[in-house]
Amino acid sequence: MRILCVCLGNICRSPTAEGVLRHRLREAGLGEDVDVESAGTGGWHVGHRPDERASAAASARGITLESRAQRFEVDHFDDFDLILAMDRQNLADMRALAPHADAEGKLRILREWDPEARGDSDLDVPDPYYGGEQGFEDVLDMIERSCDALVEEILATRFPGSRD
Ligand code: 4NP
């Protein structure tokens, strides 16, 4: 299985989601079964390492961010099984690029899995880029909660029996 995490710049939120999801999948014993990457709908930071504030916040929780920014491309619809938008704008931007219904069906918003967001109409992971350090902590909280639930679902639906 292949999962792509997508935000705007691919230096704050989606590298964080990539790092957290990969870490949790390894802990669940699925490190070899599920590949995780990230991308941005904007191209300004292509080739860049994650924002230092995002890396520092993740590192304090034991998670290393390993990505280099890449831009989201139409080919990614073929390369990935599940494409996780960090906010509604990312989702809309990718939906506009989807070549067919199959591709569009791979698009989801990450906080659909956030147990604390149930019933909220706002499922965005807010962009922390122009804010302070607390924004990066809030982003991590949302991403960790969502990824925990997502990994549980992947275990139950794609790898039943893997915990026997
Ligand atoms: P991200 O944050 O989408 O979470 O990576 C941003 C980083 C950079 C920019 C926008 C958002 N930017 O405009 O450069």
Side-chain angles (χ1 to χ4, degrees):
M1 183 183 189
R2 302 198 74 207
I3 301 176
L4 185 67
C5 304
V6 177
C7 63
L8 176 59
N10 193 208
I11 55 169
C12 297
R13 292 166 293 172
S14 60
T16 300
E18 175 190 329
V20 168
L21 191 52
R22 189 179 291 133
H23 189 87
R24 292 295 203 275
L25 287 163
R26 281 183 190 147
E27 285 177 335
L30 297 180
E32 302 292 315
D33 301 293
V34 186
D35 286 332
V36 188
E37 283 187 35
S38 63
T41 57
W44 314 282
H45 296 284
V46 167
H48 293 183
R49 292 270 177 218
D51 186 286
E52 282 182 13
R53 297 166 295 173
S55 293
S59 172
R61 299 191 193 194
I63 291 157
T64 307
L65 304 189
E66 301 165 319
S67 61
R68 274 201 187 271
Q70 61 174 332
R71 188 163 193 179
F72 180 79
E73 293 172 10
V74 174
D75 285 353
H76 287 134
F77 283 114
D78 290 329
D79 297 341
F80 291 90
D81 306 296
L82 177 62
I83 300 175
L84 297 169
M86 296 300 115
D87 67 27
R88 287 166 291 183
Q89 187 61 53
N90 312 144
L91 188 66
D93 290 343
M94 290 191 285
R95 201 168 263 157
L97 295 173
H100 43 69
D102 247 20
E104 196 171 335
K106 296 179 177 187
L107 292 170
R108 304 284 290 271
I109 196 157
L110 175 70
R111 289 190 69 219
E112 267 180 53
W113 282 272
D114 181 351
E116 290 192 20
R118 296 260 155 82
D120 282 8
S121 57
D122 178 357
L123 291 178
D124 291 351
V125 178
D127 190 343
Y129 187 63
Y130 295 106
E133 286 181 5
Q134 185 58 43
F136 288 84
E137 297 300 329
D138 296 343
V139 162
L140 264 167
D141 289 341
M142 293 173 187
I143 287 176
E144 286 194 312
R145 289 196 303 263
S146 305
C147 288
D148 283 347
L150 174 58
V151 170
E152 281 299 316
E153 184 179 306
I154 291 171
L155 273 169
T157 59
R158 300 246 184 178
F159 302 94
S162 67
R163 282 187 286 199
D164 295 348

